[in-house]
Amino acid sequence: MTARFGAIPAPTDRFVAGIGFASAASTGEIIALIRACLTELNLHPSQLAAIGTHMRKATSPLLLPVALYFAVPMRLLDDADLSGDVPGVADAVAAMAGPVRLHKRKSDYATCAISDCAPGFSVASFGQPVSANASIAPSTLLTSSAGP
């Protein structure tokens, strides 16, 4: 049974959001898309166990703010983690956590899919964590080479 906003969800009703996004995406766009997907399923944001995306987004400055907004871990999956049978990043990432409940939804520059957490799902074994240093590396590099 899914919870409606405002209701206290059962602790076993946990979900993962798989996301994909272009470089033109914003934190606000990704957050709004995830919220819209949760709303479509009548799920509460507190039911998210994790958010995942492809490893190639590891240095994106958008990842940590999105994870902090939902207060969940952001996990990175690489090609070896993802099934070649599932097209698209959002669906492929979500499918690694369990059965996909909501297939890819799109905004202008982002995609999101939601899956149920399969029995025995563990965030610790779902991809790799995002490094705070990796997310700020591009801005550090630009400022450290600016000169005096």
mmCIF file of all heavy atoms in Angstrom, residues 14 56-57 59 69 82 85-87 95 107 117 122 124 131 135 146:
data_model
loop_
_atom_site.group_PDB
_atom_site.id
_atom_site.type_symbol
_atom_site.label_atom_id
_atom_site.label_comp_id
_atom_site.label_asym_id
_atom_site.label_seq_id
_atom_site.Cartn_x
_atom_site.Cartn_y
_atom_site.Cartn_z
ATOM 1 N N ARG A 14 9.474 1.311 0.456
ATOM 2 C CA ARG A 14 10.643 2.121 0.096
ATOM 3 C C ARG A 14 10.865 2.055 -1.411
ATOM 4 O O ARG A 14 10.595 1.038 -2.047
ATOM 5 C CB ARG A 14 11.885 1.612 0.826
ATOM 6 C CG ARG A 14 11.760 1.577 2.339
ATOM 7 C CD ARG A 14 11.729 2.935 2.951
ATOM 8 N NE ARG A 14 13.043 3.536 2.745
ATOM 9 C CZ ARG A 14 13.407 4.712 3.200
ATOM 10 N NH1 ARG A 14 12.559 5.427 3.875
ATOM 11 N NH2 ARG A 14 14.604 5.189 2.978
ATOM 12 N N ARG A 56 28.922 8.444 -15.020
ATOM 13 C CA ARG A 56 29.485 9.565 -15.803
ATOM 14 C C ARG A 56 29.027 10.926 -15.253
ATOM 15 O O ARG A 56 29.580 11.963 -15.614
ATOM 16 C CB ARG A 56 29.169 9.406 -17.280
ATOM 17 C CG ARG A 56 27.738 9.569 -17.661
ATOM 18 C CD ARG A 56 27.531 9.429 -19.181
ATOM 19 N NE ARG A 56 26.153 9.173 -19.473
ATOM 20 C CZ ARG A 56 25.626 7.994 -19.727
ATOM 21 N NH1 ARG A 56 26.382 6.941 -19.739
ATOM 22 N NH2 ARG A 56 24.345 7.864 -19.977
ATOM 23 N N LYS A 57 28.036 10.937 -14.378
ATOM 24 C CA LYS A 57 27.569 12.189 -13.760
ATOM 25 C C LYS A 57 28.260 12.469 -12.427
ATOM 26 O O LYS A 57 27.881 13.388 -11.709
ATOM 27 C CB LYS A 57 26.048 12.130 -13.532
ATOM 28 C CG LYS A 57 25.246 11.951 -14.798
ATOM 29 C CD LYS A 57 25.406 13.121 -15.733
ATOM 30 C CE LYS A 57 24.503 12.987 -16.943
ATOM 31 N NZ LYS A 57 24.685 14.088 -17.881
ATOM 32 N N THR A 59 30.835 13.960 -11.378
ATOM 33 C CA THR A 59 31.352 15.294 -11.055
ATOM 34 C C THR A 59 30.304 16.394 -11.170
ATOM 35 O O THR A 59 30.626 17.571 -11.007
ATOM 36 C CB THR A 59 32.556 15.641 -11.960
ATOM 37 O OG1 THR A 59 32.132 15.615 -13.321
ATOM 38 C CG2 THR A 59 33.705 14.674 -11.740
ATOM 39 N N TYR A 69 18.267 17.589 -0.599
ATOM 40 C CA TYR A 69 16.871 18.010 -0.583
ATOM 41 C C TYR A 69 15.970 16.869 -0.113
ATOM 42 O O TYR A 69 15.062 17.066 0.693
ATOM 43 C CB TYR A 69 16.443 18.486 -1.976
ATOM 44 C CG TYR A 69 14.981 18.869 -2.025
ATOM 45 C CD1 TYR A 69 14.586 20.151 -1.683
ATOM 46 C CD2 TYR A 69 14.001 17.945 -2.376
ATOM 47 C CE1 TYR A 69 13.238 20.508 -1.694
ATOM 48 C CE2 TYR A 69 12.658 18.284 -2.381
ATOM 49 C CZ TYR A 69 12.287 19.564 -2.047
ATOM 50 O OH TYR A 69 10.952 19.910 -2.049
ATOM 51 N N LEU A 82 24.627 -1.901 -14.664
ATOM 52 C CA LEU A 82 23.328 -1.749 -15.319
ATOM 53 C C LEU A 82 23.047 -2.866 -16.315
ATOM 54 O O LEU A 82 23.939 -3.333 -17.011
ATOM 55 C CB LEU A 82 23.253 -0.396 -16.028
ATOM 56 C CG LEU A 82 23.455 0.813 -15.121
ATOM 57 C CD1 LEU A 82 23.486 2.085 -15.939
ATOM 58 C CD2 LEU A 82 22.384 0.881 -14.056
ATOM 59 N N ASP A 85 19.468 -4.793 -20.893
ATOM 60 C CA ASP A 85 18.115 -5.066 -21.374
ATOM 61 C C ASP A 85 17.152 -3.921 -21.117
ATOM 62 O O ASP A 85 16.024 -3.946 -21.612
ATOM 63 C CB ASP A 85 17.566 -6.321 -20.683
ATOM 64 C CG ASP A 85 18.382 -7.560 -21.015
ATOM 65 O OD1 ASP A 85 19.047 -7.564 -22.063
ATOM 66 O OD2 ASP A 85 18.360 -8.506 -20.211
ATOM 67 N N VAL A 86 17.571 -2.946 -20.322
ATOM 68 C CA VAL A 86 16.681 -1.843 -19.963
ATOM 69 C C VAL A 86 17.200 -0.563 -20.619
ATOM 70 O O VAL A 86 18.296 -0.106 -20.318
ATOM 71 C CB VAL A 86 16.613 -1.658 -18.422
ATOM 72 C CG1 VAL A 86 15.681 -0.517 -18.058
ATOM 73 C CG2 VAL A 86 16.176 -2.951 -17.747
ATOM 74 N N PRO A 87 16.417 0.028 -21.535
ATOM 75 C CA PRO A 87 16.885 1.241 -22.216
ATOM 76 C C PRO A 87 16.793 2.477 -21.326
ATOM 77 O O PRO A 87 15.913 2.576 -20.480
ATOM 78 C CB PRO A 87 15.929 1.365 -23.402
ATOM 79 C CG PRO A 87 14.681 0.701 -22.934
ATOM 80 C CD PRO A 87 15.105 -0.408 -22.002
ATOM 81 N N ALA A 95 15.780 0.036 -12.150
ATOM 82 C CA ALA A 95 15.590 -1.414 -12.228
ATOM 83 C C ALA A 95 16.622 -2.181 -11.406
ATOM 84 O O ALA A 95 16.368 -3.317 -11.002
ATOM 85 C CB ALA A 95 15.637 -1.872 -13.685
ATOM 86 N N SER A 107 11.367 15.768 -18.173
ATOM 87 C CA SER A 107 11.192 17.218 -18.143
ATOM 88 C C SER A 107 12.046 17.725 -19.314
ATOM 89 O O SER A 107 12.460 16.937 -20.158
ATOM 90 C CB SER A 107 11.655 17.781 -16.798
ATOM 91 O OG SER A 107 13.030 17.513 -16.597
ATOM 92 N N CYS A 117 11.854 -1.051 -3.914
ATOM 93 C CA CYS A 117 13.061 -1.711 -3.419
ATOM 94 C C CYS A 117 12.737 -3.198 -3.289
ATOM 95 O O CYS A 117 11.774 -3.577 -2.620
ATOM 96 C CB CYS A 117 13.479 -1.155 -2.057
ATOM 97 S SG CYS A 117 14.089 0.527 -2.139
ATOM 98 N N SER A 122 19.697 -3.194 -0.311
ATOM 99 C CA SER A 122 20.592 -2.481 0.594
ATOM 100 C C SER A 122 21.222 -1.316 -0.156
ATOM 101 O O SER A 122 21.820 -1.516 -1.220
ATOM 102 C CB SER A 122 21.697 -3.419 1.095
ATOM 103 O OG SER A 122 22.727 -2.684 1.701
ATOM 104 N N ALA A 124 23.800 0.212 0.665
ATOM 105 C CA ALA A 124 25.254 0.010 0.687
ATOM 106 C C ALA A 124 25.745 -0.796 -0.513
ATOM 107 O O ALA A 124 26.876 -0.598 -0.959
ATOM 108 C CB ALA A 124 25.668 -0.674 1.983
ATOM 109 N N SER A 131 31.110 11.306 -4.067
ATOM 110 C CA SER A 131 32.115 11.980 -3.247
ATOM 111 C C SER A 131 31.853 13.478 -3.283
ATOM 112 O O SER A 131 31.685 14.057 -4.358
ATOM 113 C CB SER A 131 33.506 11.681 -3.800
ATOM 114 O OG SER A 131 34.445 12.588 -3.287
ATOM 115 N N SER A 135 32.200 16.283 -6.623
ATOM 116 C CA SER A 135 31.175 17.224 -7.064
ATOM 117 C C SER A 135 31.671 18.663 -7.098
ATOM 118 O O SER A 135 31.148 19.471 -7.841
ATOM 119 C CB SER A 135 29.948 17.138 -6.149
ATOM 120 O OG SER A 135 29.361 15.881 -6.270
ATOM 121 N N ALA A 146 43.304 30.125 -11.791
ATOM 122 C CA ALA A 146 43.009 31.507 -12.183
ATOM 123 C C ALA A 146 44.230 32.423 -12.086
ATOM 124 O O ALA A 146 44.310 33.421 -12.753
ATOM 125 C CB ALA A 146 41.873 32.056 -11.334
#
